[in-house]
Amino acid sequence: MSAVLRISQTHYPVRALGPGTRFGVWVQGCTLACKGCMSRDTWSAGGGTGVPVDDLVELWRSAVARGAEGLTVSGGEPLQQAAGLADLLAAADEVRRRADRELDFLVYTGYDEDELDETRLAAVDLADVVVFGRFDVTKPTALVWRGSANQRMVPRTDLGRRRYADLVDHAPERGPLQVEVRDGDPWIIGTPRQGALRELGRSMKDLGLRVTDTTWRP
Ligand code: SF4
């Protein structure tokens, strides 16, 4: 039987967290409690759903068959389920080895590189790129796929270096954001720039939509 990863959700296609079209896994549970976190709904370790890694890999396999160019793991805090993350990446790696194109793994963590113990390091062993660091609301950034200026995007493999070399310092005029509807509610994928969520709330109000609850307010 495969390991179980507690997740908040999965999605395909993700177009705003990493290059190309991707399969996204958001894990559930984070104790780091960054002020201004946009995903407070992923904090509770008891929330979300426990999903066998085998089932997640089937979803990844199906996304690859539909054209996915990579896998993004975010959260929540993936390294607070280090063993499950290691199993997921190992099984997803089996799938990518058989693919007819290169597929990269991008992992987000709120930990800094020097906070990684042996177990956490092993969990990101197969990640081509890791974005390290807590979200810091006092350090806005225009850097693509990062929420704050202190977060470091670190390519760790040849594929990561080739695919992300020009992206580490890339600051597009508009940051990529994706809006999906989940259980009837709008859901934002990406790393909104400072003020973007406030603007979105205002636009929704102008459209006559009443925002009663958000994942970024306590
Ligand atoms: S920004 Fe990430 S690391 Fe920080 S509290 Fe939110 S989910 Fe946790």
Side-chain angles (χ1 to χ4, degrees):
M1 218 174 74
S2 69
V4 170
L5 201 61
R6 192 143 201 102
I7 65 157
S8 164
Q9 57 208 313
T10 63
H11 188 73
Y12 179 81
V14 169
R15 297 193 175 88
L17 269 184
T21 306
R22 312 178 67 82
F23 178 59
V25 177
W26 284 262
V27 308
Q28 181 70 31
C30 179
T31 58
L32 299 181
C34 307
K35 189 176 171 209
C37 168
M38 69 178 279
S39 310
R40 296 175 67 99
D41 57 324
T42 65
W43 284 12
S44 163
T49 318
V51 179
V53 164
D54 284 353
D55 293 2
L56 293 172
V57 171
E58 271 319 300
L59 294 173
W60 162 238
R61 195 188 310 278
S62 151
V64 171
R66 291 162 65 197
E69 294 160 81
L71 165 70
T72 298
V73 184
S74 185
E77 177 45 63
L79 290 183
Q80 290 182 358
Q81 298 184 66
L85 175 65
D87 284 358
L88 172 65
L89 294 187
D93 186 52
E94 295 287 318
V95 174
R96 77 169 165 177
R97 282 168 190 273
R98 289 190 210 103
D100 57 2
R101 58 193 182 278
E102 288 187 313
L103 305 168
D104 73 89
F105 295 167
L106 166 63
V107 175
Y108 279 81
T109 174
Y111 290 108
D112 284 313
E113 218 167 347
D114 60 7
E115 293 179 285
L116 267 50
D117 58 15
E118 224 169 272
T119 311
R120 288 176 184 157
L121 263 177
V124 291
D125 190 40
L126 289 167
D128 299 286
V129 178
V130 178
V131 175
F132 289 102
R134 288 162 184 65
F135 171 67
D136 185 338
V137 71
T138 67
K139 296 181 177 147
T141 185
L143 289 172
V144 74
W145 305 318
R146 270 145 292 177
S148 56
N150 59 301
Q151 292 179 324
R152 292 179 54 240
M153 177 179 279
V154 181
R156 311 177 75 249
T157 64
D158 283 348
L159 171 60
R161 281 182 280 276
R162 270 189 283 118
R163 197 169 269 189
Y164 288 73
D166 295 338
L167 298 166
V168 170
D169 297 319
H170 181 51
E173 203 172 314
R174 292 176 70 86
L177 276 189
Q178 182 178 348
V179 180
E180 297 287 334
V181 175
R182 175 183 59 174
D183 301 330
D185 293 322
W187 170 45
I188 297 153
I189 301 174
T191 51
R193 294 198 181 160
Q194 200 162 69
L197 295 176
R198 222 174 13 249
E199 262 173 48
L200 181 73
R202 268 199 292 269
S203 307
M204 290 177 74
K205 206 168 158 197
D206 291 346
L207 288 169
L209 299 168
R210 205 160 69 91
V211 181
T212 52
D213 197 14
T214 70
T215 59
W216 56 88
R217 285 194 205 112

